[in-house]
Amino acid sequence: PGRFIERFERNGLVVRLDFYMLESVFRFQRQRLQTGLPIVPISVNQSRLHMTEEGYLEKMRQVLSRYQKVPAGAVELELTETAFMGFNDAQRVEALSIVGELQAMGFAISMDDFGSGYSDLSLLNALPMDVMKLDRTLLNASEDSERMQIVLAQVISLGTRLHMQVICEGIETVEQEQLLLANGCSCGQGFLYAKPMPEQDFKAFLTEHSKR
């Protein structure tokens, strides 16, 4: 994705890609439900371009109508905090309204890459997110810095007290895992647990871990 997403953002093709991935995930979840297999929430990225896309909410409602038996929260929409930067006041209000509508439809909403740069904390008030995903740079900076460990602990506490699930990205070592656990973060993702994998391998991964 690092080789083509930026280009797709520039030429607008990322919008089509997002809907393709969304449909693929809904089909995957429905198939598992129909065969009696357990499901876990799966996140799908949503580009900032959707915030100004004509008919976006109606398209999302149509997707939901095609997969009515997939329960709310089984598909999570991931937005970066930068998705709301660069908008004028009217565009910003409209974007926040769109995200609120998505939540009302039953989508869980996560703020991806939180802490990767300038964090607009006012978004946490204007937009009650379901999930806060901490950027790996925050974790990496905390490994050798007591000051950054204080920042990490406070960000985790902030998300928790705002009733968001806090997930840290980019966990690669047991030491990083222990650092997060010691600071109150019990959910994470990274190569320590699994690398990106084909769908068939993911099915086997779910089967293996559902037995534990």
Side-chain angles (χ1 to χ4, degrees), residues 6 27 39 52 55 83 90 106 117 134 150 157 171-172 175:
E6 185 177 345
R27 282 196 301 269
I39 64 172
T52 54
L134 304 183
I150 294 172
S157 176
I171 304 172
E172 297 186 359
E175 289 75 19

Side-chain angles (χ1 to χ4, degrees), residues 36-49:
L37 295 171
I39 64 172
V40 296
I42 299 179
S43 299
V44 181
N45 291 94
Q46 293 289 278
S47 167
R48 63 179 274 123
L49 297 181

Side-chain angles (χ1 to χ4, degrees), residues 3 9 17 22 38-39 41 48 62 90 95 103 120 134 137-138 144 150 159 161 165 177 203 206-207 209:
R3 297 174 60 184
E9 287 277 3
L17 177 62
L22 186 66
I39 64 172
R48 63 179 274 123
Q62 291 173 6
Q103 285 179 307
D120 187 351
L134 304 183
T137 56
L138 187 58
D144 302 313
I150 294 172
R161 293 176 65 185
Q165 181 184 30
E177 179 186 66
K203 290 177 180 177
L206 289 180
T207 299
H209 287 271

Side-chain angles (χ1 to χ4, degrees), residues 64-76:
L64 288 175
S65 70
R66 291 195 289 273
Y67 302 93
Q68 295 180 17
K69 294 186 179 181
V70 176
V75 178
E76 179 182 295

Side-chain angles (χ1 to χ4, degrees), residues 43-205:
S43 299
V44 181
N45 291 94
Q46 293 289 278
S47 167
R48 63 179 274 123
L49 297 181
H50 293 296
M51 298 299 102
T52 54
E53 179 190 359
E54 185 176 352
Y56 173 57
L57 288 176
E58 182 55 34
K59 292 177 183 177
M60 297 299 277
R61 292 188 184 95
Q62 291 173 6
V63 171
L64 288 175
S65 70
R66 291 195 289 273
Y67 302 93
Q68 295 180 17
K69 294 186 179 181
V70 176
V75 178
E76 179 182 295
L77 303 181
E78 257 184 37
L79 294 161
T80 63
E81 56 183 329
T82 56
F84 304 94
M85 296 176 63
F87 288 155
N88 60 38
D89 289 345
Q91 290 173 324
R92 185 183 174 91
V93 168
E94 178 64 17
L96 295 175
S97 174
I98 287 172
V99 175
E101 288 287 336
L102 293 170
Q103 285 179 307
M105 292 180 198
F107 286 108
I109 307 293
S110 71
M111 183 180 290
D112 196 19
D113 299 336
F114 189 84
S116 60
Y118 172 76
S119 295
D120 187 351
L121 296 181
S122 67
L123 279 176
L124 299 178
N125 177 55
L127 188 61
M129 293 279 190
D130 302 291
V131 181
M132 175 190 285
K133 299 190 75 173
L134 304 183
D135 190 76
R136 63 179 298 176
T137 56
L138 187 58
L139 173 60
N140 292 341
S142 300
E143 290 189 90
D144 302 313
S145 169
E146 290 187 10
R147 291 175 65 87
M148 284 306 299
Q149 287 181 23
I150 294 172
V151 172
L152 176 67
Q154 292 303 311
V155 172
I156 293 170
S157 176
L158 174 64
T160 301
R161 293 176 65 185
L162 290 173
H163 308 292
M164 290 186 285
Q165 181 184 30
V166 180
I167 301 174
C168 189
E169 303 174 312
I171 304 172
E172 297 186 359
T173 67
V174 172
E175 289 75 19
Q176 290 177 327
E177 179 186 66
Q178 292 302 312
L179 174 63
L180 289 165
L181 288 171
N183 285 286
C185 181
S186 59
C187 295
Q189 69 182 59
F191 288 176
L192 179 62
Y193 311 113
K195 294 184 178 181
M197 64 186 74
E199 183 177 312
Q200 285 302 120
D201 293 347
F202 181 55
K203 290 177 180 177
F205 181 86

